[in-house]
């Protein structure tokens, strides 16, 4: 799976400087990060609506669009797939593969050490965050389910 996302990421890098008249990717880069974020949010909402409505074929299609738009935003933000994989590995060591860090824990930086790139610029995206210590208590949030009353997609 990560191979596909990495190929997509590199394809986005290759397409970002193409002609915006013929390249959707170049057009998103021309319009800037706010437009990229809006497209990502729209796709995420479509995935949610299709999932709640039980339309798995649409969830698959919209998920592919979601991953494309996420890759575009990663490139614009200077985030590499391997940075995300490293964070996922860190979380797995802390809480297991299926767990998301609670907001209380995720909001507090733990021994953050910014990393400089070749030009000497410091990147927040490249910052390494140490796992919370055993003495920190981690509160669990309740699981909330969406109620399906046949949500409608905007088109």
């Amino acid at each position: 799976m990560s191979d596909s996302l990495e190929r997509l990421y590199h394809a986005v890098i290759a397409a970002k400087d193409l002609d915006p008249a013929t390249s959707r990717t170049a057009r998103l880069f021309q319009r800037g990060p706010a437009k990229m974020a809006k497209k990502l949010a729209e796709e995420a909402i479509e995935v949610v609506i299709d999932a709640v409505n039980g339309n798995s074929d649409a969830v698959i299609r919209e998920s592919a669009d979601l991953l494309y738009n996420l890759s575009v935003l990663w490139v614009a933000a200077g985030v590499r797939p391997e940075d995300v994989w490293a964070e996922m590995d860190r979380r797995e060591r802390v809480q297991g593969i299926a767990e998301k860090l609670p907001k209380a824990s995720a909001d507090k930086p733990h021994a953050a050490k910014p990393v400089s790139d070749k030009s000497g610029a410091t990147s927040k995206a490249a910052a390494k965050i140490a796992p919370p210590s055993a003495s920190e208590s981690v509160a669990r949030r309740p699981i909330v389910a969406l109620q399906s009353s046949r949500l409608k997609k905007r088109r």
Side-chain angles (χ1 to χ4, degrees):
M1 173 180 76
S2 64
D3 287 350
S4 296
L5 288 174
E6 289 182 32
R7 283 194 315 275
L8 176 59
Y9 176 84
H10 291 290
V12 167
I13 290 172
K16 74 178 190 165
D17 294 321
L18 295 176
D19 181 4
T22 59
S23 168
R24 179 176 184 227
T25 302
R27 199 165 32 258
L28 284 168
F29 275 91
Q30 182 183 50
R31 293 179 179 169
K35 180 65 173 182
M36 294 173 193
K38 180 180 177 190
K39 293 299 292 179
L40 180 66
E42 287 172 2
E43 297 302 340
I45 290 167
E46 290 179 3
V47 169
V48 169
I49 291 169
D50 289 330
V52 168
N53 289 336
N55 188 345
S56 60
D57 289 337
V59 170
I60 292 167
R61 288 189 306 273
E62 297 299 342
S63 292
D65 291 343
L66 178 66
L67 292 171
Y68 162 77
N69 283 287
L70 178 60
S71 295
V72 168
L73 203 59
W74 281 354
V75 171
V79 174
R80 300 169 306 163
E82 53 266 27
D83 298 331
V84 177
W85 309 155
E87 173 62 12
M88 291 176 71
D89 288 342
R90 185 190 71 78
R91 288 181 183 200
E92 182 177 6
R93 287 189 308 275
V94 173
Q95 293 202 228
I97 191 69
E99 293 293 326
K100 179 180 178 289
L101 291 176
K103 288 289 185 195
S105 175
D107 288 344
K108 290 192 297 187
H110 301 282
K113 296 175 187 162
V115 177
S116 298
D117 63 14
K118 292 175 187 170
S119 68
T122 301
S123 168
K124 284 184 182 179
K128 304 296 178 197
I129 299 175
S133 68
S135 63
E136 293 177 316
S137 65
V138 178
R140 296 271 183 186
R141 291 184 296 174
I143 296 173
V144 179
L146 293 174
Q147 297 215 354
S148 172
S149 54
R150 302 304 288 178
L151 300 172
K152 302 272 192 244
K153 276 201 243 183
R154 289 186 305 156
R155 288 286 175 188

